[in-house]
Amino acid sequence: ANSCSDSALAFALFINELPLPPTEQAPPSVIRDTLVRTIEILCEALDLHEVQDTSLLNFVVSDGSSMAASRYVRNPLSQVPAASLYFSSGTRFEPVDAPKGDSEESECDKAKQ
């Protein structure tokens, strides 16, 4: 099903799989590994219930300091390539004078200053 509850359930599963309490900051490798395990569990459930539809398991999780993202396609009947995962990097976003309240990324990198 395509609904907000899918995302909420996937996030609850992610939180449940974290080896640390959600109040503790996890290292980036733990966030990554937990996201991978969450996708594995979801795929196992889809297999168990013989779901044949394409599943797009696209996630981004962050603790405010680190981020993990996935662009994963599961389709047991055919090879469906995952679309590109676009990302941006920088240290902050700043508002721009635009009618829709858009923002743009600042290229300031504290590590290079």
Side-chain angles (χ1 to χ4, degrees):
N2 294 319
S3 69
C4 295
S5 62
D6 292 348
S7 296
L9 290 171
F11 184 66
L13 177 60
F14 174 84
I15 294 296
N16 189 63
E17 290 300 307
L18 277 171
L20 302 169
T23 55
E24 287 186 31
Q25 186 164 1
S29 61
V30 170
I31 294 172
R32 178 200 61 219
D33 294 346
T34 303
L35 181 57
V36 169
R37 181 66 188 133
T38 299
I39 292 170
E40 290 171 348
I41 292 170
L42 291 171
C43 288
E44 290 168 6
L46 292 167
D47 290 341
L48 178 67
H49 295 284
E50 299 179 354
V51 175
Q52 301 299 311
D53 296 332
T54 299
S55 298
L56 304 174
L57 303 174
N58 307 314
F59 299 105
V60 176
V61 291
S62 175
D63 64 359
S65 297
S66 302
M67 180 181 349
S70 73
R71 178 86 172 150
Y72 185 86
V73 175
R74 180 199 168 274
N75 187 328
L77 300 179
S78 68
Q79 294 294 326
V80 177
S84 296
L85 175 63
Y86 296 97
F87 70 94
S88 182
S89 65
T91 55
R92 65 179 178 268
F93 287 88
E94 297 178 350
V96 215
D97 292 329
K100 295 181 184 176
D102 292 337
S103 61
E104 64 184 26
E105 185 176 353
S106 172
E107 294 300 322
C108 176
D109 187 347
K110 293 180 183 178
K112 294 180 183 178
Q113 290 181 356

